[in-house]
Structures are given as C-alpha cells and as structure tokens.
Amino acid sequence: MSRFDNLDAWLVWQMQLHPKAIALGLERVGAVWARLGPASLPFLLVTVGGTNGKGSCVAMAEAICRAAGYRTGAYSSPHLLRYNERVRLDGEDVSEALLCESFERVDRARGETALTYFEFGTLAALEIFVRSAPDVVILEVGLGGRLDAANLWDADVSVVTSIGLDHTAWLGDSLDQIAYEKAGIFRPGHPAVIGQRNAPARLRAEAQLRGSVPMQLGREIDWTLGDGGGWIWSTPSGERLALPEPAMRGPFQYDNASAAIAALRALHERLPISINAIRAGLQRARLPGRFQVFPGTLTWILDVAHNGEAAQALAVNLRTFACRGRLRAVIAVLEDKSPESIVRPLLPFVADWYLAQSSDPRAMPVEVLSKRLEGVLPAPAAVLSVLDAALDAAEAASEPGDALLVVGSFTTVGAALRRLDPGPGERG
C-alpha cells in the first residue's frame, strides 16, 4: 500500500520529513542505498559540480550523448515549473507515476531514517536510473560536493565547472574553502575536469591529492574562437575540434561546453562519440531560465542568476542585447543570498527596479531585500510583497520596445515562465 497516490502529496510530506531543509552528509543516503540499490551502477556516471554552469554542462553533455545515439539519464536541481524536470530519461522528464513508484521504494528502504527533500529525490532518481539502465547518467551536485547526496556514487568522470562565493553558510566564506568542498567529488584514478581558467589553486591541488587526473581549462584543455566563425576545442597534444557556437548564449558557455566535451572525451574508449554528434549536441542543448529571451512587443529576459558571478555573466550578455527602449528588472532572492552582488553588475543596464518576495519558503522578505539594496540602487525601487504583483507592475509600466528582466532565483524565474510558456512540453 503506497503512502500517497500523487506526486504533490509525496513532495509536501518529504519537505517535513527531516527537521532541516539542508543537512549535508552521506551517512543517511548511504544507509538507505545499501538497502535500496546495487553496490555498482549499470551505467557510466558523470558527476557535475560547481558554483555556476552546472546545469548548462549537464544539458550539453546529455544532448551530445543523445546525438551520438546513447540512452541517457540526467538529474538536475532545482526545477523551474515541475518537479519532473529534475529527472530525465532520453531527454524527457519522467512521469509522475514513475516518480511515485520510486518514492514508495525509497520510503520502504529508509525504515526510520529521516531524509531531507533533496536526499529523498536523489535516491529516487538513481533508483529510476538503475531500473532503466541507460548507457550514461549525468548527475548534477546539489550543494557543495564532498557531503552532497549526489557524491554517494563513484563517478567515472567528475566535473567542477567553476568556483565562486555562494552557499557560504554551508561551504565556507572563502574560495579556498569552497574549492575544498567542491573537490570532494573527484575520485582516485579518474579524470577531474575543471572548467575554469582561474579556478582557486586548491581545486587542482585537491584533485592531485586525491589521485585524480586533472583536466583544466587553459592547461590540459582549451578553446579559441575560430577565424571564420564557430570555435576550436583543443588539447596540448594537438587534438582540435572545429565546432559551431553553442545554442545557449554567452561567452561563458564555451567554458561549460569545453568541460562537457572533456568529460565525454575522457570516456571515449567506453563511450565513443563522433565530432558530428558533438556538433549536433551543442546546437540542440537548451536550458530554460539561462538568458532565455521571449521576444515581442515587450521582450522578456529570464535568468536564474542568484550570485555575483552569475550576475556578471548575465551582464556580459546584456551588453550585447539590443533594447530599443527601457530595461526594467524584477528581482526576488532567497534569504541566504547576497542581493548586492547580484544587482551591482546589472546597474548599467537597468533603468527601473521592482523588488519582490517569491513563494519559496526560504525567500528573503521583501522588506529585508529593500533595506539591503538601499545604498546600492541609484534611485528608489518599487517594493511589492508578492512576486506576481511585481511582474504585473513592471509589465504595466512598459511600452513597446521595452524589455523586462526577471532575475534572482529559480522560483522567481519560474513565476515568469508560467506566464510566458506554461506548457511543460513546449519550453526550449
């Protein structure tokens, strides 16, 4: 007899199962997996961590593998519209029925062990993948790396896309400390891909201490723009791949694409992938909420940037974005974020700010957000306690040719996405 018969009920219950929303550590998931799944996985595993760029790297690796004809599994978080987005088989979100069946098996296996919402979902995702047995699974780390539930399983290749200041309450307040936590996903004798040229030195040092094989952007792998368009992925040994621009916008996506390609090239003997599949995958990969533009009389720009580094990358994209009128911005963030670091890089582009509070239980109260930004914003902002009201007000103030930027968190962008593209199968 199943505990619940629908996905929403399962998710509400999971949020209350553990006394803390975030409780890092592998003891609970390890104990449950020992009763739930096999000791060795029936597929190749790529684990992707990092401060920014994880989701893009996962999406590109998944699209490349699919273009090569392989069956894929992908796990990422958080979601924008539907929980099902977190678990994909062959590029498609899994069904509610499949999730509920797996939740029931996790529930039976856990006994009296209290799991967090993320731990429960991670165990369910891997259980689904084991039963489906795809050729390769790309697994996104939730928070940090060393103590994240996704780090329970030994990856064939591990990727850290970038290191920045985020989640400092859990990972430490220095790049050095954060690098140590992120490096926890590296494994002895296996490739450790680092997708950042100027990554803290400790990240590479930790890879070497763990006996991993570093493959870092700017050292073992690199990229340059092509003379006649496109770009070149290369290695010091002379390997060169002439590739088209990634479908996802922004110069930083070349870094993410380089990391994804390096991870898959490291698996070449067991997972051969042609250059044509790499090209096709890069052009097919899409990820909602990453500088996602909805053109029209009023152009909407959605970006889940929720820390300073992501906001700087967003600013680079805005610099090349042609807006005929005024650009307004709606921002709502989570309580553990630094809204100042998000707003500052965007100030040269945004004419009017609308501050709000999302529906996320961990949302920063709009009064706190307003106080934090008092000395940062050059002019008073509109302050609305409800996110939908802020979106309404910004849209109503806009004229033809204007643009509206929605930024700050997955929940914030999700609220805008529901207005613009509500169909679960229509996003791209």
Side-chain angles (χ1 to χ4, degrees):
M1 181 78 181
S2 178
R3 185 183 292 272
F4 302 106
D5 62 0
N6 66 85
L7 181 59
D8 288 341
W10 272 110
L11 297 177
V12 170
W13 174 76
Q14 288 172 27
M15 288 180 184
Q16 304 163 351
L17 181 58
H18 195 281
K20 295 182 179 178
I22 298 174
L24 297 178
L26 301 180
E27 296 82 6
R28 293 179 301 277
V29 287
V32 177
W33 186 255
R35 299 188 291 270
L36 179 67
S40 60
L41 300 175
F43 42 73
L44 292 171
L45 180 64
V46 179
T47 300
V48 181
T51 303
N52 295 304
K54 293 180 293 184
S56 297
C57 187
V58 170
M60 290 180 187
E62 178 188 21
I64 291 170
C65 289
R66 293 192 65 229
Y70 293 112
R71 295 193 60 238
T72 60
Y75 176 63
S76 59
S77 64
H79 59 277
L80 281 168
L81 296 180
R82 303 163 65 240
Y83 184 92
N84 312 57
E85 297 167 23
R86 296 180 178 227
V87 187
R88 297 189 297 277
L89 285 171
D90 293 325
E92 298 293 331
D93 300 346
V94 299
S95 68
E96 292 193 8
L98 194 59
L99 282 167
C100 289
E101 290 168 6
S102 186
F103 286 159
E104 178 62 28
R105 288 189 285 268
V106 173
D107 190 26
R108 288 199 300 266
R110 73 178 183 87
E112 298 301 317
T113 302
L115 297 169
T116 66
Y117 178 85
F118 181 76
E119 289 171 341
F120 212 109
T122 303
L123 286 165
L126 264 292
E127 198 268 347
I128 288 171
F129 295 148
V130 166
R131 287 177 174 269
S132 304
D135 299 303
V136 59
V137 166
I138 305 107
L139 193 63
E140 181 183 336
V141 172
L143 194 158
R146 183 174 64 92
L147 299 176
D148 186 85
N151 195 36
L152 180 65
W153 299 272
D154 290 334
D156 295 283
V157 178
S158 302
V159 180
V160 172
T161 53
S162 67
I163 300 292
L165 286 174
D166 200 4
H167 299 298
T168 54
W170 292 279
L171 305 180
D173 57 7
S174 73
L175 295 178
D176 189 72
Q177 289 175 296
I178 294 171
Y180 169 73
E181 294 295 337
K182 302 284 187 185
I185 67 173
F186 296 151
R187 291 297 192 270
H190 291 276
V193 179
I194 299 172
Q196 185 178 22
R197 296 177 191 276
N198 61 341
R202 188 169 187 182
L203 186 61
R204 186 181 181 93
E206 289 292 335
Q208 293 169 327
L209 280 173
R210 287 168 165 77
S212 303
V213 183
M215 299 175 64
Q216 184 172 357
L217 188 63
R219 299 182 71 162
E220 290 80 13
I221 57 172
D222 211 337
W223 67 266
T224 55
L225 291 176
D227 294 334
W231 62 295
I232 308 294
W233 183 92
S234 63
T235 67
S237 64
E239 184 178 12
R240 291 169 59 85
L241 304 179
L243 302 168
E245 293 182 12
M248 288 187 276
R249 305 177 185 220
F252 54 91
Q253 294 295 4
Y254 292 104
D255 292 353
N256 296 327
S258 293
I261 293 167
L264 298 177
R265 296 295 280 180
L267 295 174
H268 185 70
E269 288 188 4
R270 291 178 288 172
L271 197 78
I273 294 176
S274 69
I275 187 172
N276 285 336
I278 295 174
R279 289 169 175 158
L282 291 177
Q283 292 180 305
R284 293 173 188 171
R286 299 288 191 279
L287 200 59
R290 278 69 166 184
F291 204 75
Q292 186 175 9
V293 178
F294 289 85
T297 305
L298 170 64
T299 298
W300 290 70
I301 306 169
L302 312 185
D303 200 294
V304 297
H306 54 275
N307 54 51
E309 287 78 8
Q312 290 167 19
L314 170 57
V316 171
N317 277 340
L318 288 174
R319 196 169 292 124
T320 61
F321 175 75
C323 177
R324 293 185 289 114
R326 293 171 71 86
L327 176 63
R328 294 172 176 81
V330 175
I331 182 172
V333 303
L334 300 186
E335 59 186 348
D336 65 330
K337 301 303 176 184
S338 168
E340 302 92 337
S341 68
I342 301 171
V343 164
R344 284 193 181 99
L346 307 179
L347 289 176
F349 311 99
V350 178
D352 305 296
W353 288 89
Y354 293 76
L355 314 184
Q357 180 175 335
S358 77
S359 59
D360 194 296
R362 296 185 292 126
M364 180 178 289
V366 70
E367 298 81 10
V368 176
L369 177 62
S370 177
K371 189 70 175 175
R372 294 274 295 268
L373 293 178
E374 269 183 7
V376 179
L377 297 177
V383 179
L384 298 100
S385 58
V386 179
L387 178 55
D388 280 336
L391 294 171
D392 287 339
E395 185 175 14
S398 299
E399 298 180 354
D402 288 352
L404 178 54
L405 170 67
V406 183
V407 67
S409 78
F410 279 78
T411 312
T412 307
V413 167
L417 196 56
R418 284 186 178 88
R419 294 174 170 232
L420 300 168
D421 191 12
E426 300 168 5
R427 297 187 305 279

